[in-house]
Amino acid sequence: MLKLNALKFEKVWGYELWLASTHKNGLQRDFAEYSGGEYPLLVKIINADETLSVQVHPDDATAVALEGAGNVGKTECWYVLDAKPGAKLVYGLNGEHSSGELAEAIKSNSLERYLNEVEVKKGDFVFIPSGTVHAIGGGLRLLEVQQSCDLTYRLYDWGRPREVHIEKGLKSIKENPLLRVAPFDKDFECDYFSLEEIKVSGAYSAFNSGKKESPRDTILFFILEGSGRVRGGETDPGKAEKTPAADFKAEDIFALGGKEKITFMAEGARIMKISCGQK
């Protein structure tokens, strides 16, 4: 196993912690070496003191069309780690609107009337397929699991003097059927990633049967809540000696490579297991 150390990026609205990344814009070299190359996902914590811009991410085909070969889209999801009372997200549009209507609303600073706002609380889960218009409101701390992509088209920035990407953004919008925002219910799966919440009372062990040093087979374990001890597999199955146990706490994250074992020992801890999907 490998405990990952986050990379912090300050933003005008707060900050991001890149927890698991082999992306060129936030490369964790030890993780890339451990997993065997380019990991298909990017896992972050987003801490929003103020509202983020209204944005959209392209799907795989649109990313290539707009940015060139080698680019991928960005389907993502959010798990709400903490939320101030009344905190909200922009989650899609509030109806069907043409590109012309949206372009005019952006230029006239009136896009708010086309946005679908949703109030969220701690423990809620939001799935955001590529092409979905969205924004994170102030007062939120989120776990984000996404494709390993750093393409963001900013449609609207609430009057802040930053660049917007109207043409590319409008080309990326898709009318996706959106899931209801609700508390996370044990597990979730899409083409790009799967999540499973694990509750530990005593001990929990997992063996990764995937290929050794295969990025796609690497599994992540993010500590949602609680603390305890964690240990990797035995150094030698023929010996009683085991690798030393280490402490863990909330928001730590561990990578488990193929043919390796991990054991968490705790009372009342909750862990999010994150795996790559089929794409």
Side-chain angles (χ1 to χ4, degrees):
M1 72 174 188
L2 176 68
K3 182 179 179 181
L4 302 180
N5 296 309
L7 303 175
K8 188 174 184 179
F9 296 90
E10 299 288 349
K11 304 288 183 178
V12 297
W13 40 260
Y15 62 85
E16 291 183 350
L17 298 175
W18 287 30
L19 302 177
S21 168
T22 62
H23 194 281
K24 63 181 181 179
N25 293 345
L27 174 63
Q28 294 167 308
R29 296 189 183 279
D30 56 347
F31 180 44
E33 292 173 3
Y34 175 80
S35 61
E38 295 184 8
Y39 184 61
L41 303 178
L42 173 54
V43 179
K44 304 176 183 177
I45 287 176
I46 296 178
N47 193 89
D49 298 319
E50 299 179 14
T51 301
L52 277 68
S53 60
V54 179
Q55 52 193 239
V56 64
H57 309 298
D59 62 15
D60 293 337
T62 307
V64 171
L66 295 178
E67 304 295 342
N71 284 282
V72 297
K74 185 176 173 183
T75 285
E76 61 188 333
C77 67
W78 297 326
Y79 179 98
V80 181
L81 297 170
D82 201 9
K84 290 185 177 179
K88 294 181 179 181
L89 301 169
V90 171
Y91 188 41
L93 302 172
N94 58 16
E96 294 185 10
H97 306 291
S98 69
S99 293
E101 284 180 287
L102 296 175
E104 183 57 36
I106 293 168
K107 292 172 183 176
S108 62
N109 290 316
S110 59
L111 187 65
E112 291 99 325
R113 59 180 175 168
Y114 294 105
L115 304 176
N116 178 48
E117 286 193 330
V118 181
E119 190 170 317
V120 293
K121 61 185 183 303
K122 182 177 179 178
D124 280 347
F125 178 75
V126 188
F127 176 55
I128 306 165
S130 55
T132 304
V133 175
H134 60 278
I136 299 170
L140 286 169
R141 187 173 180 85
L142 309 175
L143 172 68
E144 178 175 281
V145 179
Q146 57 159 94
Q147 291 177 259
S148 184
C149 167
D150 202 24
L151 288 176
T152 295
Y153 299 139
R154 197 179 293 126
L155 292 170
Y156 191 69
D157 203 21
W158 316 101
R160 287 182 288 224
R162 294 195 294 170
E163 180 186 7
V164 291
H165 314 94
I166 300 175
E167 183 178 353
K168 289 183 176 180
L170 293 177
K171 287 181 178 178
S172 298
I173 294 174
K174 297 170 65 177
E175 294 180 7
N176 294 307
L178 301 179
L179 301 180
R180 185 173 66 90
V181 175
F184 188 77
D185 187 19
K186 298 180 182 176
D187 55 33
F188 175 82
E189 184 176 358
C190 71
D191 289 341
Y192 298 99
F193 47 77
S194 64
L195 287 76
E196 178 186 2
E197 185 177 336
I198 298 161
K199 297 179 180 179
V200 182
S201 294
Y204 165 83
S205 294
F207 175 73
N208 185 345
S209 60
K211 297 178 181 178
K212 191 172 182 63
E213 295 183 347
S214 168
R216 183 170 295 280
D217 290 338
T218 301
I219 301 171
L220 301 176
F221 295 88
F222 174 81
I223 312 302
L224 291 170
E225 185 177 79
S227 60
R229 302 279 282 170
V230 59
R231 178 186 289 129
E234 295 182 359
T235 56
D236 185 336
K239 297 180 180 180
E241 180 185 0
K242 296 182 178 180
T243 55
D247 293 333
F248 72 80
K249 64 184 185 306
E251 298 193 358
D252 283 347
I253 189 166
F254 299 87
L256 185 68
K259 310 305 179 190
E260 294 189 6
K261 180 181 178 181
I262 195 168
T263 299
F264 294 94
M265 296 157 283
E267 291 297 332
R270 294 189 302 115
I271 300 172
M272 188 68 79
K273 178 182 177 183
I274 303 167
S275 306
C276 296
Q278 298 303 309
K279 286 192 175 182

